[in-house]
């Protein structure tokens, strides 16, 4: 440590009151020395006691002056900066009116300014991230909405240009227009859900139910979609039908809905889907497995991001906006549980999530 740094460190340890005292002491000693010198040179004839008294009075006056000057010109101003920073950081205004000359003010201000600068930097970084997120979100939303809107416009224009009277296409085009309007509706609904989930802590209506029964209901609801792809949905052999979980049944229905519909949509035609329920002592593990084409490893870490799709054109053909898995992840995390995916190209994919297990309904 250099000499200047050492002096600076020593100075930082001194309170304003001690500083005024030290400065006054320095003036007292020097005024005593000077008056002693002049007393000898000019032979004034004053006694040492008188000189000492004079130096003491000078010292006292200087102490008062230094104290006042330090308080008014330096520390009050520093305190003002400190107060401003403090008030910016706190929601409640901090009243710092009087300067406490016995405190290590410089140290306090230095710490406070350092902390404030750090907070400020974090705040700026967070704002930048939010800005990027907002821009990306709006870009994705408009991109998703464009496709069904253009399709809807196309069908309606053709119908207006005479297609309405063409028996061969009129019903078909009206049906297609309706399908695109439905798709718009479902994208807007998913957007609403995801914004709600991301903006606030998700409300969970806790209840107890048999997870097998809920899976069965969802499978029945999916029958129509499964038939189109000629997909068979089965429970794994030897499944325990009595496993009870503690969760929000409607939200878990939404999770199963997306996972099973994904397995149908992105699995293969004439494929198979297995639903497995595993007793893990404290948890129940629910797995949805398909024997589709699988997902390449590089996509797996990003699968739960909003709007992330492996093959956007194929997904869009199925009406997907890429929001389903993001919603699923929010729901599972709000239950303080986890979701994972494993997949082998050419063999199939398994999505698994856990739920809290209970002994009684
Ligand atoms: P949405 O669910 O909003 O209607 P989506 O199904 O396209 O649209 P996600 O459910 O989030 O969106 O799925 C994201 C992407 O993950 C899908 O587009 C698809 O590419 C891929 N994916 C999901 N499940 C499977 C699966 N079982 N097999 C292969 N790929 C899958
Ligand atoms: Mg989906």
């Amino acid at each position: 440590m250099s000499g200047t740094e050492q002096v600076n460190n020593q100075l930082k340890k001194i309170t304003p009151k001690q500083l005024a005292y030290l400065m006054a002491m320095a003036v007292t000693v020097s005024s005593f020395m000077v008056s002693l010198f002049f007393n000898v040179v000019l032979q004034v004839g004053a006694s040492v006691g008188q000189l000492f008294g004079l130096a003491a009075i000078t010292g006292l006056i200087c102490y008062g002056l230094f104290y006042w000057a330090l308080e008014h010109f330096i520390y009050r101003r520093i305190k003002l900066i400190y107060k401003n920073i403090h008030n910016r950081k706190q929601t409640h205004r901090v009243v710092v009116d009087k300067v406490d000359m016995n405190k290590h003010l410089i140290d306090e201000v230095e710490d406070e300014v350092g902390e404030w600068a750090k907070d400020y930097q974090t705040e700026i970084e967070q704002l930048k991230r939010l800005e990027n997120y907002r821009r990306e979100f709006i870009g994705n939303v408009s991109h998703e909405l464009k496709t069904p809107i253009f399709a809807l416009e196309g069908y309606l224009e053709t119908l207006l240009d005479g297609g309405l009277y063409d028996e061969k296409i009129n019903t078909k085009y009206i049906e297609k227009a309706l399908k695109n309007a439905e798709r718009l509706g479902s994208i807007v609904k998913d957007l609403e859900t995801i914004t709600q989930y991301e903006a606030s802590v998700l409300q969970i209506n806790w209840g107890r139910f048999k997870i097998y029964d809920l899976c069965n209901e969802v499978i029945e609801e999916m029958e129509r979609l499964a038939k189109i792809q000629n997909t068979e949905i089965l429970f794994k052999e030897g499944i325990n039908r009595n496993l009870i979980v503690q969760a929000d049944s409607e939200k878990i229905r939404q999770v199963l809905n997306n996972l099973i519909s994904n397995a149908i949509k992105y699995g293969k035609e004439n494929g198979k889907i297995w639903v497995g329920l595993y007793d893990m002592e404290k948890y129940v593990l629910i797995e949805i497995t398909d024997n589709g084409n699988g997902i390449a490893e590089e996509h797996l870490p990003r699968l739960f991001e909003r709007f992330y799709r492996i093959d956007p054109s194929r997904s869009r053909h199925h009406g997907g906006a890429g929001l389903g898995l993001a919603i699923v992840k929010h729901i599972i995390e709000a239950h303080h549980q986890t979701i994972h995916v494993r997949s082998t190209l050419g063999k199939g994919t398994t999505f698994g999530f856990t739920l809290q297990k209970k002994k009684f309904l």
Side-chain angles (χ1 to χ4, degrees):
M1 202 187 289
S2 74
T4 340
E5 274 175 8
Q6 265 177 348
V7 173
N8 277 346
N9 278 346
Q10 285 303 317
L11 269 177
K12 266 178 22 185
K13 285 182 195 152
I14 295 173
T15 65
K17 196 173 179 180
Q18 286 166 338
L19 186 61
Y21 179 74
L22 277 176
M23 284 159 74
M25 275 295 281
V27 173
T28 312
V29 172
S30 24
S31 73
F32 179 73
M33 300 298 277
V34 171
S35 51
L36 194 66
F37 172 77
F38 280 112
N39 191 33
V40 172
V41 174
L42 302 174
Q43 294 186 339
V44 179
S47 67
V48 176
Q50 280 172 329
L51 291 178
F52 196 73
L54 186 71
I57 291 167
T58 321
L60 226 68
I61 295 169
C62 284
Y63 175 72
L65 278 173
F66 285 142
Y67 190 96
W68 180 83
L70 277 174
E71 187 183 357
H72 282 261
F73 293 107
I74 302 177
Y75 284 94
R76 258 184 199 274
R77 286 174 195 198
I78 291 177
K79 199 84 193 180
L80 202 68
I81 300 172
Y82 172 74
K83 191 172 146 183
N84 279 335
I85 289 172
H86 218 83
N87 284 343
R88 261 171 178 270
K89 282 175 59 183
Q90 316 242 342
T91 37
H92 309 291
R93 278 184 71 81
V94 178
V95 183
V96 196
D97 283 334
K98 226 179 148 351
V99 180
D100 187 350
M101 297 291 274
N102 283 311
K103 274 178 120 182
H104 297 285
L105 193 61
I106 305 267
D107 263 6
E108 240 175 79
V109 174
E110 192 180 348
D111 288 350
E112 201 83 9
V113 171
E115 220 177 280
W116 175 72
K118 229 183 347 185
D119 286 356
Y120 212 61
Q121 190 58 32
T122 328
E123 222 171 282
I124 290 171
E125 276 163 16
Q126 204 176 347
L127 283 174
K128 275 187 192 160
R129 257 202 311 272
L130 278 176
E131 176 58 20
N132 280 343
Y133 165 86
R134 194 188 59 83
R135 211 176 299 139
E136 196 185 299
F137 191 77
I138 292 176
N140 281 325
V141 169
S142 46
H143 187 73
E144 284 316 313
L145 296 179
K146 251 192 250 164
T147 324
I149 289 174
F150 284 163
L152 199 57
E153 274 175 359
Y155 291 124
L156 293 179
E157 269 170 17
T158 321
L159 287 168
L160 269 180
D161 290 345
L164 198 56
Y165 307 103
D166 184 343
E167 297 280 310
K168 271 191 251 150
I169 59 161
N170 55 8
T171 320
K172 201 166 110 195
Y173 275 27
I174 290 173
E175 273 168 9
K176 287 200 171 187
L178 180 68
K179 226 179 177 169
N180 278 285
E182 280 170 0
R183 170 141 193 246
L184 268 178
S186 105
I187 294 175
V188 170
K189 198 172 135 236
D190 278 354
L191 280 170
E192 247 172 25
T193 313
I194 196 120
T195 349
Q196 218 178 10
Y197 286 3
E198 285 184 2
S200 57
V201 182
L202 192 53
Q203 270 284 321
I204 299 292
N205 297 318
W206 294 100
R208 291 180 188 187
F209 54 92
K210 284 188 183 172
I211 186 68
Y212 172 84
D213 292 349
L214 185 68
C215 291
N216 217 3
E217 280 173 35
V218 175
I219 292 172
E220 275 171 19
E221 282 165 28
M222 291 284 147
E223 236 162 41
R224 202 176 62 91
L225 184 68
K227 235 182 198 155
I228 299 172
Q229 295 272 97
N230 199 23
T231 306
E232 198 180 350
I233 311 174
L234 314 150
F235 277 104
K236 282 253 162 122
E237 268 178 39
I239 218 162
N240 180 351
R241 298 183 178 202
N242 295 314
L243 288 170
I244 296 160
V245 292
Q246 171 133 324
D248 184 328
S249 60
E250 277 320 296
K251 297 215 164 58
I252 298 305
R253 181 190 296 276
Q254 214 177 335
V255 169
L256 289 166
N257 238 303
N258 186 57
L259 295 182
I260 298 178
S261 71
N262 277 356
I264 302 172
K265 290 189 298 185
Y266 309 113
K268 62 178 179 194
E269 266 185 55
N270 310 316
K272 276 190 179 167
I273 296 168
W274 294 271
V275 177
L277 306 176
Y278 304 93
D279 188 345
M280 313 289 280
E281 299 218 1
K282 285 189 176 169
Y283 307 99
V284 175
L285 171 67
I286 299 113
E287 285 196 336
I288 316 291
T289 305
D290 65 62
N291 62 350
N293 285 334
I295 302 165
E297 204 166 334
E298 75 251 32
H299 296 294
L300 294 180
R302 299 198 59 193
L303 222 52
F304 295 95
E305 285 177 20
R306 279 176 278 105
F307 301 108
Y308 192 80
R309 284 165 313 191
I310 296 160
D311 181 355
S313 59
R314 179 156 183 227
S315 162
R316 229 177 257 133
H317 162 76
H318 290 293
L323 291 169
L325 286 176
I327 294 174
V328 161
K329 192 163 184 253
H330 273 296
I331 294 175
I332 298 300
E333 281 176 357
H335 280 79
H336 312 294
Q337 301 294 328
T338 52
I339 179 155
H340 60 267
V341 55
R342 48 180 201 275
S343 189
T344 314
L345 272 178
K347 282 200 164 169
T349 307
T350 298
F351 281 89
F353 65 94
T354 53
L355 286 179
Q356 207 183 332
K357 185 185 147 190
K358 287 285 163 193
K359 283 202 174 116
F360 309 101
L361 272 176

